[in-house]
Amino acid sequence: MVLISGKRWTRFIAVGILSLVLIFSIHLLDFATPFSNPDDLSASMDVITACATSDSEHPNDSHSAVPQIPNVVHQIWKTTDLRTYSTQMTASHDRWKQTLEPLNFKIKLWTDDDVLHLINGSYPWLLSTYEGYPQNIQRADMARLLVIHAEGGIYADLDVYPTSATQIQCLQSLSLEAIFAPVSGTLGLSNHFFMAEPRSPFLLWALYEGKRRGGATSRFIPIPYLRVFWSTGPTMVTAAFRNEDWLVFTYPTTNSQTPSYSQTTHCTMESIPSLPATLNPALSGRDAIADALHRCVLGLDTNDMALFDSSFTPTATFSINGKVSSGLPAIHTNCFGIIKKLDTTHFVTNIRINIADSGVQAAATASAIAQHYPGGKGNEANAPHLLAGAQYYADFVKDEGSGLWKIETFKALTPWSEGDWGVITVNEE
């Protein structure tokens, strides 16, 4: 038996309290930076504010524009029996029907089984993460993002009630990709009520972020409430929003029962300049080898042939799903020449590298996710796209002249994909 003196117990308790304070401080700091200065967005604020102040007796006559966000309200519960939702309050499902069905809206209730069917059919890459969440609320958080990404429309928690059909129709008519409710002013995004177009790139990015945070990292957060917020809840959605360089701003509401909303629009970015193939100071060891993969995919995404070529030997072989190209000219024809016409982003992760005893040869494996849109259409709503997950294998050699590691053999397999392979094959013609 180990005995701890009174003083040691006091120190132990003090350390525990300080640790909890630190955890909560980190949680609060995650929302500490506002997205934007509303003074710089006065013109857009005027547009948003108009939705909060308009209230026609005949909503159908208020907004003639065809909404980009479908007339569907999605809600989620374990089963179709909403009597099990709460003993304290009535689920809002019927209220949404009464308010919006006369205006040609569909009110759709998803069950847990419906969501699993959707994941199995359209998002198999997320299934293991989804089933592995320890808390049901984590699955509920991800489910709402999934159904809106898949079909588009409006998501409302079962404790969110409609107060103005006119405002909802006005928001739909703004031709925005996604609209979220803010928390703490403009410091964060809530996920209890939001709307988006089908296949919203932001929602897809949020799903990626939820999958990334769904691994072992979140298990180091000892408080369940914070773990949920960080892994799948508002903190995760807010982080995804910031990482995508989106803009957010809120407008005031004239009805205290009606939630305020945030607008999300993607920033138009200038072309990103490429760094030289040889960095300063020079990379070494595994970092230098991994950089060959990074040069390859960045060369594709930025249409930088010189950077792309720097990652391969002249005699390299390049294989995707068994289709082999031998030599750099063939790789140009069958890979670079096709991908350069598209809007793409490649993410490479889980890189593991084995260096031969000679010090000039190496092999690596990696995982990758790549999104492909037709050239110039990456920011267009409902544009065809191909999202693919890949497993990479590569053999490398160290080039004596440049000192760069280069790919001698590259193999990629795509165990899953979502979307239209025609986005790529049409450019092969």
Side-chain angles (χ1 to χ4, degrees), residues 48-65:
I48 301 298
T49 303
C51 283
T53 56
S54 64
D55 193 10
S56 168
E57 294 182 0
H58 304 286
N60 278 329
D61 300 332
S62 301
H63 308 287
S64 59

Side-chain angles (χ1 to χ4, degrees), residues 3 38-39 41 48 124 137 186 192 215 297 335 425:
L3 299 178
D39 293 338
L41 301 168
I48 301 298
I137 185 61
T186 59
H192 75 290
V297 298
C335 178
T425 57

Side-chain angles (χ1 to χ4, degrees), residues 8 21 30 37-38 55 84 104 139 157 159 176 197 219 229 258 261 273 277 311 318 330 341 344 375 377-378 395 401:
R8 288 187 177 179
V21 170
D30 201 43
N37 182 354
D55 193 10
T84 63
N104 296 319
R139 280 182 282 276
D157 274 349
D159 59 356
L176 301 177
E197 296 175 354
R219 303 184 190 278
F229 261 60
T258 303
Y261 303 93
S311 65
F318 186 95
K341 302 174 185 177
T344 64
K377 298 184 180 295
D395 291 317

